[in-house]
Amino acid sequence: METSFALTGKGYVIIAADTTAARSIVKMKVDEDKIKELSSHLLMSYSGEPGDTIQFAEYVERNIRLYQIRNLYPLRPAAAAAWIRRSLAESLRSRHPYSVNLLLGGYDIADHKPNLYWIDYLGTVVELPFAAHGYGSYFALSLLDRYHNPEASLEEGLATLKRCIEEVAKRLIVSPDRFKVKVVDKDGTREVEL
Amino acid sequence: MSVMEYNGGSVIAMVGKDCVAIASDLRLGNQALGITSNFQRVFPVTNRLYIGLPGLGTDVTTLRERFRYRVNMYTIKEERDIQPETFAHLVSSTLYEHRFGPYFIEPVIAGLSKAPSGGFKPFIAATDLIGCLNFAKDFVVAGTASAKLFGVAEGLWEPDLEPEDLFETISQTLLNAVDRDAFSGWGAVVHVITKDQVVTRTLKGRMD
């Protein structure tokens, strides 16, 4: 089942998403990247209805890029979250709503703070220190309540993330076996190996 | 599964002597799963007017933005602050515009309105999700814990409470009501509005 986690630490946000593309009970692909780099300091993981996810993620990606081209500066994380939320909220009351759940992680280069937004397909947005989507959230959130530290170094943050992944692997019936992990901090976005 | 109970949350407003109070819990969840304990659903409209928006999380944000826009337009056009009575009708008509595809929110309004004598008169009101107004003289409640809030408020509220006593009454009412509701709680925020200031306090609550 699709699962994604994210957590903030001292000057960074880590986002992890599983890499399986499933169709009914069949795994079609095991190396799918479900985390998009929207701009130099903005990451977005997406999950939900196949088709909708990629369609909506690319729509967001291109609009964020368009803003940057037009204005010569990128949207800050809070502004990006507000724009994405509005897109989803308007879509919700349309003929065919997108059913996409997102985690938006960014490093605000103006006030030097990491920001993490939990966004669901209804257009509910919450700013959080850590967040999760999918069945994995039932295990990971309680773990993060116990082990999350907003002042943790990147190594400590990755160790906490590892605990979440291991717990999901242990307890969830149909657990994903691989996760892609990306980090955003003052130096921009990058992928890390666990 | 009901849309009104999907994210949880409750709001209450009470009248005191030359003051009003509005309070809300801070939980936002996905059914039984708690997502955050810091979700604000009470917002200032003017210096003496607040609105609480319990209901579906996405509509809390949407309506907050909508009301902010419409109140800003009113303020520019009229060159004065909107009065609580006027704002209540603005809320009502905004919601009724969506009569057959509503926003899943039951707003609670609390503020002080300007009296002809120059003083201020406490005002509270609530509407249902399609904008049917309910003006009350004592207290109004809304949200997933509304049934419990009615019970506790009925027992604790009395007329002409001073601001400090009103704060105590509304806080105890809210905290004790949400403890009997699985979808509300996780902390609370209370605003006490008097003619020259608004005192906002964040309360700790049970985290279960």
Side-chain angles (χ1 to χ4, degrees):
Chain A
M1 298 281 169
E2 281 195 312
T3 289
S4 49
F5 312 117
L7 60 135
T8 56
K10 200 173 173 59
Y12 64 84
V13 183
I14 308 171
I15 299 190
D18 72 285
T19 55
T20 49
R23 197 79 187 271
S24 174
I25 55 162
V26 184
K27 271 184 190 167
M28 307 296 280
K29 198 163 177 278
V30 288
D31 58 353
E32 174 92 329
D33 184 358
K34 299 187 220 177
I35 310 173
K36 272 212 181 304
E37 286 128 47
L38 296 181
S39 69
S40 65
H41 291 83
L42 201 59
L43 287 172
M44 182 179 81
S45 80
Y46 50 91
S47 57
E49 182 80 15
D52 279 13
T53 49
I54 294 168
Q55 199 72 27
F56 186 75
E58 287 184 358
Y59 171 73
V60 170
E61 184 181 33
R62 284 160 193 188
N63 274 99
I64 299 271
R65 182 80 189 110
L66 177 64
Y67 184 94
Q68 200 170 338
I69 293 166
R70 277 182 175 162
N71 298 286
L72 305 176
Y73 55 85
L75 274 180
R76 292 171 72 175
W83 187 86
I84 295 167
R85 190 207 87 81
R86 208 180 178 84
S87 303
L88 281 170
E90 279 169 6
S91 149
L92 182 70
R93 287 187 163 85
S94 70
R95 181 77 70 89
H96 186 83
Y98 286 112
S99 68
V100 187
N101 298 316
L102 309 162
L103 293 172
L104 187 74
Y107 183 81
D108 195 333
I109 44 177
D111 67 3
H112 312 289
K113 282 195 179 86
N115 294 127
L116 171 63
Y117 297 90
W118 178 95
I119 307 173
D120 75 0
Y121 73 101
L122 299 167
T124 317
V125 176
V126 195
E127 218 233 304
L128 290 165
F130 52 82
H133 274 302
Y135 285 113
S137 65
Y138 293 99
F139 307 102
L141 287 182
S142 44
L143 246 163
L144 286 162
D145 275 331
R146 175 66 183 79
Y147 293 108
H148 177 262
N149 172 11
E151 291 299 309
S153 66
L154 183 58
E155 289 67 39
E156 292 169 313
L158 288 169
T160 308
L161 177 72
K162 221 167 180 172
R163 296 184 101 124
C164 296
I165 292 172
E166 279 163 8
E167 188 66 15
V168 171
K170 187 177 176 185
R171 294 290 173 183
L172 191 63
I173 310 178
V174 274
S175 56
D177 45 15
R178 288 185 57 216
F179 277 84
K180 197 175 263 292
V181 184
K182 292 186 186 180
V183 174
V184 55
D185 58 14
K186 65 175 176 12
D187 304 319
T189 63
R190 64 178 182 282
E191 192 178 331
V192 291
E193 287 297 321
L194 265 191
Chain B
M1 188 201 97
S2 156
V3 191
M4 294 303 292
E5 278 98 53
Y6 184 73
N7 295 125
S10 304
V11 176
I12 179 171
M14 278 181 178
V15 168
K17 189 171 165 49
D18 301 320
C19 59
V20 284
I22 182 166
S24 165
D25 68 320
L26 291 171
R27 181 182 181 270
L28 178 122
N30 249 207
Q31 319 234 60
L33 175 71
I35 299 292
T36 179
S37 53
N38 189 25
F39 186 73
Q40 299 292 337
R41 58 182 119 252
V42 176
F43 306 102
V45 179
T46 69
N47 292 333
R48 295 191 185 90
L49 178 59
Y50 277 67
I51 184 166
L53 302 166
L56 192 66
T58 180
D59 290 342
V60 172
T61 318
T62 306
L63 278 183
R64 192 219 117 78
E65 287 170 1
R66 235 186 137 83
F67 290 139
R68 185 176 58 191
Y69 170 74
R70 296 192 72 171
V71 167
N72 282 346
M73 294 306 282
Y74 181 97
T75 317
I76 293 166
K77 208 170 180 181
E78 299 280 327
E79 297 181 327
R80 63 185 168 92
D81 277 347
I82 195 165
Q83 286 306 115
E85 287 84 353
T86 321
F87 181 68
H89 284 97
L90 174 77
V91 169
S92 169
S93 60
T94 304
L95 291 175
Y96 197 78
E97 272 178 23
H98 300 271
R99 171 64 180 81
F100 297 110
Y103 290 119
F104 297 97
I105 296 283
E106 292 176 339
V108 168
I109 300 156
L112 295 174
S113 64
K114 263 208 179 88
S117 58
F120 290 96
K121 199 168 75 37
F123 175 90
I124 55 164
T127 92
D128 64 3
L129 76 168
I130 52 169
C132 174
L133 276 166
N134 162 28
F135 301 107
K137 285 195 286 291
D138 42 10
F139 51 80
V140 284
V141 300
T144 53
S146 61
K148 294 106 184 172
L149 283 164
F150 264 124
V152 189
E154 204 74 73
L156 294 186
W157 185 86
E158 45 191 286
D160 295 323
L161 287 163
E162 295 296 331
E164 304 82 64
D165 299 329
L166 184 66
F167 165 73
E168 199 60 30
T169 307
I170 198 169
S171 302
Q172 289 299 337
T173 305
L174 184 72
L175 289 175
N176 288 292
V178 298
D179 279 354
R180 281 284 173 185
D181 182 37
F183 301 111
S184 299
W186 270 23
V189 64
V190 183
H191 307 272
V192 181
I193 307 163
T194 52
K195 75 172 169 46
D196 32 40
Q197 62 171 346
V198 180
V199 180
T200 302
R201 294 186 182 90
T202 307
L203 308 177
K204 284 186 180 177
R206 282 178 64 122
M207 297 301 283
D208 57 358

